[in-house]
Each structure stands twice: as C-alpha cells, then as structure tokens.
Amino acid sequence: MTTTPPLLLITADPSHPLAHLALRYARAYLNGAADSHDIDNNDTNSTGSSDNTTSEQPLLNVFFYGDSAHIANRLRWQSADQLDLTKEWQSLAEQYQLPLPVCVSTALGRGVSDVDNSSRHQLDGANLATGFTLVGLSELAMMMQDDCRLIQF
C-alpha cells in the first residue's frame, strides 16, 4: 500500500522558531521514512539484487511560501552561533533527493530570484540558493491533490 507523503507548507520567516521546527520535523520524518524504506527493501528484495528506481515519489513534499522564501536566498548571512537554515535544507535535500520548490511570486516580492526571472524582470542579479527552484502555485496544487496530509509551519 502506497501512502502519500506529507506536505510541509513552510511560511515562516527564517528567524521565526517555526522555520526551525519545520527543518527538525523534516529531518525526523525523513530519518524515520528512510529507515522504514530500507526495512521494506530488505524484506521484498531478498535475492541480493539492487533495484534502485529513481521514479519513486519523494519521501516528503516541501513547499516554501511567503516569508519562508528568504530561506532560499543564497546571500542571506547567518552568524556562526545560529543555525543556517539555507545550508541545512540544502544538505537535507541532497541527502534525500528532496526537491525544494519556492513560490516564485512570493520569492520575487522578497528579492529572491533565479537567472531566468532576473532576466525577464530586468533585475540586477540572481540570488537563489543551489537546490531551490522557483515554481508557480500549480506545483503546490499538484502536491495537494492526492489525499494529502498538510502540515504548515
């Protein structure tokens, strides 16, 4: 039985405790999901052959909206005594092949842009952090269409 992964709708500014809680939740969820996924693979694939299909759905859906678009700004400086949410999300995304979509309109409204939108809107440069992508709200709608468990931070 395939279950739809939860959707984390992150709207909190990086300085807000909820933005940090979202990262901790994602980490805990992905660690648990990866462990159970490994157990499932060991149970069903006892022949020793490895079947690494990458067409699987992600273990977790994430969408950055509103003030959380600041997390995707590669120029956002963070003091050494505080957690750098941008780098932490990038690391998590790399480890679990997790897409990091950001609402394009809320990102542009907060000064976060990729190369294409900078050119289209005559902006001086791009500052979207590696691993994040600017997408329309249709991406969020697609994530929500299948019996989705939505968790907002």
Side-chain angles (χ1 to χ4, degrees):
M1 180 174 127
T2 304
T3 59
T4 304
L7 167 58
L8 301 187
L9 177 60
I10 305 167
T11 60
D13 183 83
S15 64
H16 196 282
L18 284 176
H20 295 264
L21 183 60
L23 177 66
R24 285 195 312 270
Y25 179 90
R27 249 195 220 125
Y29 181 85
L30 288 168
N31 285 335
D35 290 345
S36 69
H37 184 66
D38 289 343
I39 291 168
D40 290 346
N41 281 346
N42 289 338
D43 290 344
T44 58
N45 193 6
S46 59
T47 62
S49 65
S50 64
D51 183 25
N52 293 340
T53 56
T54 57
S55 62
E56 294 180 27
Q57 64 184 14
L59 296 172
L60 177 69
N61 288 315
V62 177
F63 194 86
F64 296 89
Y65 185 78
D67 286 338
S68 71
H70 290 293
I71 295 171
N73 184 347
R74 69 178 174 82
L75 300 177
R76 192 176 69 81
W77 179 81
Q78 192 64 56
S79 64
D81 64 335
Q82 294 185 355
L83 186 66
D84 187 335
L85 287 178
T86 303
K87 288 182 180 172
E88 293 297 321
W89 276 108
Q90 288 171 316
S91 175
L92 200 62
E94 186 176 319
Q95 181 179 359
Y96 292 100
Q97 311 310 300
L98 185 69
L100 299 175
V102 183
C103 175
V104 65
S105 60
T106 62
L108 290 172
R110 287 161 177 81
V112 178
S113 183
D114 60 5
V115 172
D116 291 339
N117 280 290
S118 291
S119 175
R120 181 179 305 122
H121 300 292
Q122 293 93 35
L123 302 174
D124 285 338
N127 60 345
L128 184 69
T130 303
F132 291 86
T133 55
L134 297 184
V135 300
L137 281 177
S138 62
E139 293 290 324
L140 178 60
M142 297 282 285
M143 289 180 202
M144 292 177 71
Q145 77 181 23
D146 296 328
D147 193 26
C148 154
R149 186 176 64 192
L150 175 68
I151 305 167
Q152 183 178 353
F153 292 93

